[in-house]
Amino acid sequence: MARILARFLVLLLVVSICEAAPLFQPISDSHRSAALELFTLDHGSFKSLEETYEALRTFQILGIEKKPDVTAAACHSISETVGSLSSTPKDLFYALKANSIAECKIHAKASKGIISSLNSAVSGSSSLLDFYYSVGGLVLIKDQSSKDDLQLADAEGVFRSVKAFSQSDGRWRYSSNNLESSAFAAGIALETLAGIVSLASSELDQSLISTLKNDISKLFDSIEKYGDGTLYFDDKLVDGYEYKGPLSATSSVLRGLTAFAAVTTGNIDLPRDKMLGLAKFFLGIGVPDLKFYLACRVSIPLILSLPAAVLSLTKKDSLKVRVATVLGSNAPPLTVKLVGVFSSVSKDASLVESQELKFDQGSGLHILNDLLEIIDVGSYTFVFEVVLQEPDDEKVYVTGSQTKVPIFVTGLVRIENSEIVVLDSDLGSVESQSKLDLTAKNAVSLSANHLQKMRLSFRLTTPRGLAFKPHQAFLKLRHESKVEHIFVVGNSGKHFEIVLNFLGLVEKFFYLSGKYDMEFTVGDSAMENSFLVAIGYIELDLPQAPEKATRPPLQAIDPYTRYGPKAEITHIFRAPEKRPPQELSLAFLGLTILPLLGFFIGLLRLGVNMKNFPSKPVPAAFAFLFHVGIGAVLLLYVFFWLKLDLFQTLKVLGFLVVFLVFIGHRILSHLAAASAKLKSA
C-alpha cells in the first residue's frame, strides 16, 4: 500500500510545510478521481490512523469536499484512540494529525490524559521514532488546544538525547543500536528538534543550534546529483527499516529543514544552486505542488523553460522563454539573455553574440524574433542567463548559473541533382541514365548484368545553402523472393553517392537473378521533408550459383497467412445415383427375412421342451437372465441397424458380453453338476 500511495504522500510531505501557501498549479479531475479510488473505507473505517490522516490530507490538498462518511469514520477512530489508556505515542500522533483536519471535539479530560501520556513517553524514549511521535504529539496538542503553557520539561536534555543519534556526515541513526545512518531519519530528527525548541520554556543553548546548523550543511554536502544538475537525497537499505527511496528521503529532509528554520533565529546558510537542484528534482518527477520553498528563510528558485524545444525555419518561429517560480507563479522583474548558441558540430564557438530577449506583458514570455535568420537547421545548445532587476529580489529568489537548453531547428532540405545510372564495369561508360524526383514516387526500369555497376547520386543543401548530412540514408533492394539487401549511402560534402558493383555482390545477392524493387530512404530529426520513396526496379542477370554457394535465408512467414482465415472452399456434391424401385427393395427384404422364418420353423419341427430348465430358484434365475441377455444382444443388433453407430454398439455389447459370460458360466456349472449327479445315480 505504501508504494501505491507514494505520489500522494509527496503532496502530504511537501505541501504541509507551509500551511498558508495557496495552490498555484492546477489540479485536474484525474488526481481527484485517483485519490477517491485509492482511499476507500474498509468496513466503515480505514485500516490505520496513519492511513486515515493520509486520506484526509490528500482530500484537503486536492480540494475534494469533505465526505460525511469519511469524516465520521475518522472522528470515531480518533475518539477511540485519545480515550484509550493503551494507545501508543504513534497512534496518538496520527490521531492528532488527523484531528487537525477533521476538527473533531476532544474533551479537556482526554487532552490532559494525552499530555501526561506523551510526557511520560518522552522521558522513556530510547529511539528517534519514539521522540518523533511523542514530541510531535505534544506540538499538535498545543496547536489544537491553544495551551500556551504547555512546555517540555528539561527541553535541553531532550534536545541532547535526540542529538546523540546524529552522525558526522549529517545523517542520523534511528537508534543507538543501529549503526546505519539515514537521510530520511535526518529529516525526522530536524522536525523533532524543531518541536523541542517550540516546547522549550526558555531559550536553548545557542551552541546546540549552531552545531545543528553545521550538521545540516554536512548533510547537504553528501547530497546525490544527476548529470543535469538535479539534486536529491537517497538512502541505502537500513536494517530493520523499510527503504524509503529518493522521493521520501528528499521530502523528509526539506520538511524537517523548514520546520527547524521556522522556530530558530538567523539564516541557514545553504548554497542557492543546491536549492535549485532540489527544485529540478521535484519538477522532474511531476509533483503538482511544491510549498517547502515558501518557508521563511529558503530562497525560491526561478525556473527557465521553453514552451517549444523545436523551432521551424519554415514557419519562422520565434524563440520564446518562460521564467516562473518553482511554484508556477509569476517571476519578479528580470531580464533573460541569450548568452550563446552552440551547434552539435562546433561546441566551442558561439554562433551568436549575447542578446537580450524582449518581455511580452500579455503572454508573460520573453521573445527573440530574428534569431532564426542567422542559424541553420540542426541540433543546438542554447545558453540562457537570468538577471534580476531589483537587488532586493536576490534575497528572496535564486536564479542559479547559466541554463543550457537543447533545441532542434528544423526546415526544408533541398534535394538536387538526383539520378540513377547503370555503368559499364570496364570502361565506365553510361549504359542507361534516369533522372529522379525523390519527393515523389518514381517508376524507373533498369536492367544490368553482373559485369556492370549501378550508381545513385544526389545532393542535400540546407535553407542557408550549406551541406546537410542526414542521420540516415539507405538504399534497399528487394528480390521477388522477398530477400532484401540494404546499403548505406555515403557522402562527400554536399554530394551523396553509392555505387553497386554487381560483380562483387553476386555472393551477397545469392546469385539470384530477376527483378529487384528499389526503395530509397533519407531521414533526420531536423529535416521536415524526410522521405521514403520507391524508385522503381532493376532486372539483374547474374551467373548460375555454384554447388557450394550460400543459399538465401528462409524468409519469415507472415502469421496472418498461416493462422488467418483460409480461402473459402466451394464443392459441388455429385447427384445421387438412381435407386431401384421400392417394390424390388421390399422383395429383397423379404428374402433376407426368410432364413429367420426357417429358423423358427426348424425349432417347431424339432420340438422345444423345458425338461433341462433348472427347477431350483437360484439356477432358474441365472437361466432366465442368460436368455434375457441373448435377447438383449439380438435387440442391440436391431438398434444398430436402425439408429446406433458402430462405436456405440460395441460399447453396449461389451457390457452385455461380460454379463453373459458370468451368467452363462454359472448356469453351465449348474447343468454340469446336475449331469454328474445323474450319471453317478
Side-chain angles (χ1 to χ4, degrees):
M1 185 69 176
R3 294 182 182 272
I4 300 175
L5 302 178
R7 190 165 295 274
F8 288 106
L9 292 182
V10 172
L11 292 173
L12 306 178
L13 292 171
V14 299
V15 178
S16 60
I17 295 172
C18 188
E19 299 292 339
L23 276 172
F24 293 100
Q25 295 286 354
I27 300 292
S28 65
D29 291 336
S30 61
H31 292 95
R32 298 185 180 93
S33 60
L36 291 173
E37 292 179 4
L38 196 58
F39 294 104
T40 55
L41 296 175
D42 185 12
H43 298 90
S45 64
F46 292 103
K47 295 180 180 179
S48 64
L49 284 167
E50 183 176 0
E51 186 177 339
T52 301
Y53 166 69
E54 291 167 357
L56 293 174
R57 187 65 176 131
T58 302
F59 292 164
Q60 183 186 45
I61 293 168
L62 297 181
I64 301 175
E65 296 182 0
K66 289 185 177 181
K67 302 179 69 175
D69 55 341
V70 175
T71 304
C75 288
H76 178 72
S77 300
I78 293 169
S79 300
E80 286 185 347
T81 303
V82 300
S84 175
L85 298 177
S86 60
S87 297
T88 62
K90 180 179 179 180
D91 293 336
L92 293 173
F93 173 76
Y94 281 109
L96 293 172
K97 286 179 76 70
N99 189 59
S100 64
I101 303 173
E103 299 178 351
C104 309
K105 293 183 179 180
I106 299 179
H107 298 291
K109 184 177 180 181
S111 298
K112 292 181 180 180
I114 294 173
I115 295 172
S116 176
S117 176
L118 291 177
N119 276 317
S120 300
V122 171
S123 302
S125 296
S126 59
S127 68
L128 179 60
L129 290 176
D130 292 340
F131 283 110
Y132 174 70
Y133 293 132
S134 55
V135 173
L138 289 173
V139 173
L140 288 169
I141 196 67
K142 180 180 180 180
D143 295 338
Q144 294 179 24
S145 60
S146 301
K147 291 182 177 292
D148 297 332
D149 57 341
L150 178 58
Q151 297 175 350
L152 186 63
D154 191 19
E156 188 168 312
V158 177
F159 193 101
R160 294 180 186 274
S161 298
V162 177
K163 184 66 175 64
F165 299 118
S166 65
Q167 298 294 290
S168 58
D169 60 352
R171 298 173 182 262
W172 294 64
R173 296 178 297 168
Y174 284 101
S175 65
S176 57
N177 297 328
N178 190 356
L179 300 179
E180 299 289 344
S181 57
S182 166
F184 184 85
I188 292 177
L190 291 175
E191 194 172 356
T192 304
L193 295 175
I196 295 173
V197 173
S198 65
L199 294 173
S201 57
S202 59
E203 187 175 353
L204 298 180
D205 186 357
Q206 289 302 308
S207 63
L208 294 175
I209 304 298
S210 300
T211 302
L212 185 57
K213 289 182 179 180
N214 187 41
D215 291 343
I216 294 174
S217 299
K218 292 180 180 178
L219 178 62
F220 274 79
D221 290 339
S222 63
I223 197 169
E224 305 287 343
K225 183 179 181 179
Y226 288 127
D228 60 350
T230 301
L231 301 178
Y232 64 97
F233 291 96
D234 196 8
D235 287 330
K236 58 183 178 180
L237 185 62
V238 180
D239 294 339
Y241 297 92
E242 182 182 358
Y243 173 69
K244 301 298 182 181
L247 189 58
S248 296
T250 307
S251 301
S252 176
V253 171
L254 292 173
R255 184 177 63 181
L257 175 62
T258 51
F260 182 72
V263 297
T264 57
T265 58
N267 293 330
I268 300 176
D269 188 14
L270 293 176
R272 292 192 169 190
D273 59 338
K274 291 189 176 181
M275 302 308 297
L276 188 63
L278 289 171
K280 288 183 178 180
F281 172 72
F282 282 104
L283 290 175
I285 59 176
V287 177
D289 190 38
L290 298 174
K291 298 291 192 299
F292 57 86
Y293 288 106
L294 291 180
C296 301
R297 283 174 295 280
V298 178
S299 299
I300 301 176
L302 296 177
I303 304 300
L304 183 145
S305 61
L306 274 69
V310 179
L311 303 179
S312 173
L313 291 176
T314 307
K315 299 179 181 178
K316 298 181 179 180
D317 291 337
S318 299
L319 176 63
K320 299 179 181 179
V321 174
R322 181 188 301 276
V323 180
T325 68
V326 71
L327 305 173
S329 60
N330 295 328
L334 52 83
T335 301
V336 178
K337 294 181 180 180
L338 178 62
V339 179
V341 176
F342 302 90
S343 68
S344 57
V345 179
S346 176
K347 299 182 179 180
D348 298 329
S350 175
L351 302 178
V352 299
E353 297 180 354
S354 179
Q355 301 185 43
E356 182 177 326
L357 280 69
K358 295 181 180 180
F359 180 69
D360 181 42
Q361 190 69 34
S363 61
L365 299 174
H366 299 263
I367 302 175
L368 185 60
N369 292 318
D370 302 329
L371 176 64
L372 296 185
E373 295 181 1
I374 56 177
I375 62 175
D376 211 340
V377 298
S379 174
Y380 297 90
T381 299
F382 283 37
V383 182
F384 298 95
E385 185 177 26
V386 178
V387 180
L388 295 170
Q389 297 179 1
E390 300 294 336
D392 293 339
D393 290 336
E394 296 180 0
K395 301 178 182 179
V396 181
Y397 300 95
V398 55
T399 60
S401 57
Q402 296 178 346
T403 303
K404 298 180 180 180
V405 181
I407 291 180
F408 280 96
V409 179
T410 64
L412 294 176
V413 176
R414 291 194 296 270
I415 308 168
E416 302 170 335
N417 302 336
S418 305
E419 66 175 9
I420 186 168
V421 180
V422 175
L423 304 172
D424 185 77
S425 180
D426 296 330
L427 303 176
S429 59
V430 176
E431 185 77 17
S432 61
Q433 182 178 6
S434 299
K435 296 292 184 180
L436 297 176
D437 181 9
L438 296 180
T439 61
K441 186 176 180 180
N442 296 264
V444 175
S445 175
L446 302 174
S447 62
N449 57 41
H450 66 286
L451 299 177
Q452 293 177 317
K453 300 178 182 179
M454 185 184 73
R455 183 183 68 199
L456 172 68
S457 60
F458 61 96
R459 295 180 64 183
L460 295 178
T461 55
T462 66
R464 304 285 180 251
L466 301 177
F468 181 76
K469 183 178 180 180
H471 289 162
Q472 57 182 11
F474 300 125
L475 174 65
K476 180 192 291 185
L477 273 65
R478 183 187 297 109
H479 189 253
E480 297 169 325
S481 61
K482 306 302 182 183
V483 177
E484 294 183 350
H485 305 281
I486 299 177
F487 302 92
V488 178
V489 182
N491 74 306
S492 58
K494 296 182 180 180
H495 190 70
F496 285 79
E497 182 180 273
I498 181 172
V499 178
L500 299 183
N501 185 358
F502 296 121
L503 182 60
L505 294 174
V506 289
E507 292 186 2
K508 182 178 177 66
F509 284 4
F510 306 106
Y511 296 90
L512 293 176
S513 300
K515 181 180 177 182
Y516 285 81
D517 293 324
M518 295 182 292
E519 195 175 74
F520 189 50
T521 303
V522 174
D524 192 278
S525 57
M527 186 176 175
E528 294 180 359
N529 55 335
S530 298
F531 59 85
L532 187 156
V533 61
I535 298 177
Y537 71 89
I538 181 171
E539 190 81 25
L540 289 182
D541 183 14
L542 301 181
Q544 293 292 328
E547 294 183 1
K548 297 183 179 180
T550 305
R551 299 297 181 185
L554 296 176
Q555 299 301 307
I557 300 176
D558 186 3
Y560 186 81
T561 60
R562 175 180 290 183
Y563 304 108
K566 304 300 181 182
E568 182 179 355
I569 299 175
T570 57
H571 179 71
I572 301 176
F573 291 94
R574 65 179 182 179
E577 297 180 358
K578 188 177 180 180
R579 295 184 178 183
Q582 183 179 3
E583 293 77 7
L584 182 60
S585 299
L586 293 176
F588 273 93
L589 175 62
L591 292 176
T592 57
I593 297 176
L594 284 178
L596 180 61
L597 295 177
F599 170 72
F600 287 114
I601 293 172
L603 290 178
L604 294 175
R605 295 296 302 269
L606 293 174
V608 178
N609 61 77
M610 304 291 291
K611 293 180 179 180
N612 291 331
F613 199 86
S615 57
K616 296 182 179 180
V618 175
F622 282 115
F624 177 76
L625 291 175
F626 179 77
H627 287 82
V628 170
I630 295 296
V633 171
L634 296 176
L635 183 62
L636 178 62
Y637 289 160
V638 175
F639 278 103
F640 170 66
W641 180 265
L642 298 176
K643 185 176 182 181
L644 300 179
D645 56 32
L646 179 61
F647 295 101
Q648 293 173 328
T649 304
L650 291 176
K651 186 186 300 183
V652 178
L653 183 61
F655 290 105
L656 291 177
V657 167
V658 173
F659 174 77
L660 288 173
V661 169
F662 175 73
I663 298 298
H665 178 267
R666 296 299 300 268
I667 190 60
L668 289 176
S669 298
H670 171 73
L671 293 176
S675 177
K677 288 181 180 180
L678 183 60
K679 290 180 180 180
S680 61

